[in-house]
């Protein structure tokens, strides 16, 4: 019996010797895990700092330094946008394209936003992008999509805009149904776009040329109010200059031919693109794909029919409810798409004419 008891105690002592070894091993594994986590966090932090520097974060801070409250609000941490989009979940994608992907997100302050992940990779473009963000941060107009800020802690900068829920002007115009937007709505939207361009061209401290005006970047909110968006191609013009020479950028069908051939960008390039939108509103034809039986593009065919007094061939039947206003808008559109840039009207004059067309209607409605 004694012998067996000794064996049992010996066995128990042998088991207790393994305890410290197991605890030590567990501590070593835990230390390694914590070190790896620390290393990973440091690596992420270094990478964020690298991207922030690469994306000219210091330049943006410097440009915004005179308005510290704007600077603090404009530069948004990556963690905030990761949470806002559920780690950039594919289900949050609104649309994608050649210029990047747009995600829907909800910020910690409960603002619903659209987060644009750009495809910019060239350092020169990043420098220009930062300058544009600094300018756009100071824009506040009801017909311009509000820029909340940007994130510079990723390989390419992220832009954060207010979320506009009702699609684009292009979406509403080019539906399969025979009827689209009413003539009143089209005229009002055209006036709102004109107003936003007047603001960009002449009401901000440094005039801005949008450079890519088209129906697909004119967003409509819940009240069908138009908001101009997509300032990725925009350029600002120093106040002492009338234009600048730059790499041609824009969308086929809307692109100013004079700018295309000379690379000289002026505010009249936006006027041309706006004229194309007026033609699109009048005809419901797509500027980038339309070809007449004679092989003419939309702009050429429209101008030819207008000069022949035969616009009825191309005008959307629904807009005929606009009466004489349709002819006036058609004439205005033709002046905007004049091949000679210097003969095009300014956006201020265009806005004035469009407002003038709406005033009589407003008075009539009040009287009736």
């Amino acid at each position: 019996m004694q012998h067996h008891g000794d064996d049992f105690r010996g066995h128990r002592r042998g088991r207790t010797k393994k305890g410290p070894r197991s605890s030590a091993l567990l501590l070593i594994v835990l230390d390694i895990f914590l070190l790896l986590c620390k290393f990973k966090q440091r690596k992420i932090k270094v990478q964020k700092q690298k991207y922030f520097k690469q994306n000219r974060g210091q330049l943006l801070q410097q440009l915004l330094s005179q308005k510290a409250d704007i600077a603090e609000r404009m530069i948004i941490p990556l963690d905030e946008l990761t949470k806002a989009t559920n780690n950039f979940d594919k289900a949050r994608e609104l649309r994608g394209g050649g210029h990047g992907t747009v995600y829907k997100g909800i910020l910690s302050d409960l603002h619903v936003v659209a987060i644009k992940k750009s495809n910019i990779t060239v350092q020169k473009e990043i420098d220009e992008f930062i300058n544009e963000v600094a300018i756009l941060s100071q824009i506040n107009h009801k017909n311009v999509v509000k820029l909340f800020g940007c994130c510079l802690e990723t390989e390419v900068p992220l832009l954060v805009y207010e979320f506009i829920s009702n699609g684009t002007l292009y979406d509403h115009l080019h539906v399969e149904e025979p009827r689209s937007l009413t003539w009143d709505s089209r005229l009002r939207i055209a006036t709102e776009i004109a107003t936003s361009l007047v603001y960009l061209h002449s009401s901000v401290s440094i005039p801005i040329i949008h450079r890519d005006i088209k129906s697909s970047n004119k967003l409509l909110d819940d009240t069908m109010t138009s908001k101009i968006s997509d300032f990725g191609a925009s350029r600002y013009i120093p106040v002492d200059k009338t234009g600048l020479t730059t790499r041609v950028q824009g969308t086929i069908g809307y692109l100013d031919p004079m700018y295309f051939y000379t690379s000289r960008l002026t505010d009249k390039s936006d006027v041309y693109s706006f004229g194309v939108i007026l033609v699109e509103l009048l005809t419901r034809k797509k500027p980038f794909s339309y070809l007449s039986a004679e092989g003419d593009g939309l702009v050429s065919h429209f101008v030819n029919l207008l000069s022949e007094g035969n616009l009825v061939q191309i005008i959307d039947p629904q807009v005929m409810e606009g009466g004489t206003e349709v002819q006036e808008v058609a004439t205005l559109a033709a002046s905007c798409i004049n091949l000679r840039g210097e003969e095009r009207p300014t956006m201020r004059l265009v806005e004035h004419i469009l407002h003038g067309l709406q005033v009589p209607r407003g008075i009539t409605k009040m009287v009736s």
Side-chain angles (χ1 to χ4, degrees), residues 80-94:
E80 169 84 347
L81 300 187
T82 302
K83 289 174 188 171
T85 58
N86 194 20
N87 199 24
F88 297 96
D89 189 340
K90 197 161 182 65
R92 295 289 187 94
E93 282 187 21
L94 295 173

Side-chain angles (χ1 to χ4, degrees), residues 42 54 75 107 109 116 171 217 221 244 267 272-273 278 317 346 361:
R42 177 164 175 75
Q54 175 184 298
I75 300 175
L107 299 180
D109 61 5
K116 186 174 181 181
D171 297 334
N217 60 24
D221 68 11
L244 56 89
D267 57 350
Y272 180 91
S273 301
L278 285 182
T346 62
R361 182 191 289 107

Side-chain angles (χ1 to χ4, degrees), residues 99 132 209-212 230-235 249-250 259 265:
H99 296 293
E132 288 157 23
I209 297 176
H210 188 280
R211 201 164 63 147
D212 196 19
D230 283 356
F231 286 82
S234 303
R235 291 293 174 266
Q249 193 169 338
Y259 169 48
L265 181 68

